[in-house]
Amino acid sequence: MVVFVNQFSVHGNAEDFERAFQASSEFMRRQPGFLRHSLVRSTLLPERYVNVAEWEDAASFRRATEHPDFESHVRELHELASSEPHLCVPVLQRGALRGDAEGG
Amino acid sequence: MVVFVNQFSVHGNAEDFERAFQASSEFMRRQPGFLRHSLVRSTLLPERYVNVAEWEDAASFRRATEHPDFESHVRELHELASSEPHLCVPVLQRGALRGDAEGG
């Protein structure tokens, strides 16, 4: 699995950005290898959004970005926000540890 | 649910950072309200890490940061990396849509 992290700084209207992002999300979730994504918004800096998307592998992600419809989504988002994208690999993933249970 | 996103830029040794982060993770996952986290590392900028942690609510997260043991973890991480933390709320979360299925 690879994780695509994209931090947006929105200079346009936030509702427009969220609408454009949703259209991009609808495109992405139809691409082979896409697993899931989560778009979150900073509580202190409301112009800051972060998208975290999980893909089966880097090849699937690259293929989606080479799809002919991808460019129009990117263009629309970039009219409303700058972004700092990073294709990442998982290093450490942990769930809650409750009560007396140790290890895991 | 709230999502704590923290982007690290590591100036120290990466292995030391990962070790310090793991100790911090072991502390966090024992705190009430912690759900799960994922630390990922950029493939193009290996000094860049992003931690994405899900908490039940902002109050649980704040309580964990006020725990007396929290400060030592922060200090150790900050000796090895700068960070850009954002407490966020979910805006849009979607899974894959395969084949002819629509909606969801």
Side-chain angles (χ1 to χ4, degrees):
Chain A
M1 188 181 77
V2 297
V3 182
F4 180 64
V5 179
N6 203 352
Q7 186 161 291
F8 293 93
S9 189
V10 176
H11 48 74
N13 178 278
E15 279 180 29
D16 290 346
F17 172 77
E18 291 186 17
R19 204 175 299 118
F21 190 91
Q22 180 151 356
S24 161
S25 165
E26 290 303 318
F27 164 74
M28 283 304 203
R29 66 198 294 240
R30 285 176 171 77
Q31 305 311 309
F34 175 88
L35 296 173
R36 64 193 68 81
H37 86 86
S38 177
L39 178 71
V40 301
R41 185 181 192 178
S42 171
T43 53
L44 284 181
L45 284 180
E47 71 275 21
R48 188 66 49 95
Y49 289 77
V50 186
N51 183 45
V52 181
E54 297 178 7
W55 290 79
E56 280 173 14
D57 48 46
S60 303
F61 172 74
R62 302 245 177 253
R63 212 171 295 124
T65 64
E66 288 160 12
H67 188 290
D69 293 349
F70 177 71
E71 190 55 33
S72 67
H73 291 293
V74 170
R75 202 179 317 120
E76 193 176 4
L77 287 169
H78 279 185
E79 283 170 11
L80 299 158
S82 61
S83 72
E84 188 192 329
H86 289 286
L87 188 63
C88 300
V89 290
V91 173
L92 183 67
Q93 298 182 299
R94 304 293 248 170
L97 197 59
R98 298 281 181 252
D100 296 332
E102 289 289 325
Chain B
M1 188 181 79
V2 296
V3 182
F4 180 65
V5 179
N6 203 352
Q7 186 162 290
F8 293 94
S9 190
V10 176
H11 48 75
N13 178 279
E15 279 180 29
D16 289 347
F17 172 77
E18 291 186 16
R19 203 174 300 117
F21 191 92
Q22 180 151 357
S24 162
S25 165
E26 291 302 318
F27 165 74
M28 283 304 202
R29 64 199 296 240
R30 285 178 171 78
Q31 305 311 308
F34 175 88
L35 297 173
R36 65 193 68 80
H37 87 85
S38 177
L39 178 71
V40 301
R41 184 181 195 178
S42 172
T43 52
L44 284 181
L45 285 180
E47 71 274 21
R48 188 66 49 92
Y49 289 79
V50 185
N51 183 43
V52 180
E54 297 179 6
W55 291 79
E56 280 173 14
D57 49 46
S60 302
F61 172 74
R62 302 246 176 251
R63 211 170 297 125
T65 65
E66 288 161 12
H67 188 290
D69 293 348
F70 176 72
E71 190 54 34
S72 68
H73 291 293
V74 170
R75 201 178 318 119
E76 193 175 3
L77 287 171
H78 280 184
E79 283 170 12
L80 299 159
S82 61
S83 72
E84 188 193 329
H86 290 285
L87 188 62
C88 300
V89 289
V91 173
L92 182 68
Q93 299 182 297
R94 306 291 249 170
L97 196 58
R98 296 283 181 250
D100 296 333
E102 290 289 325

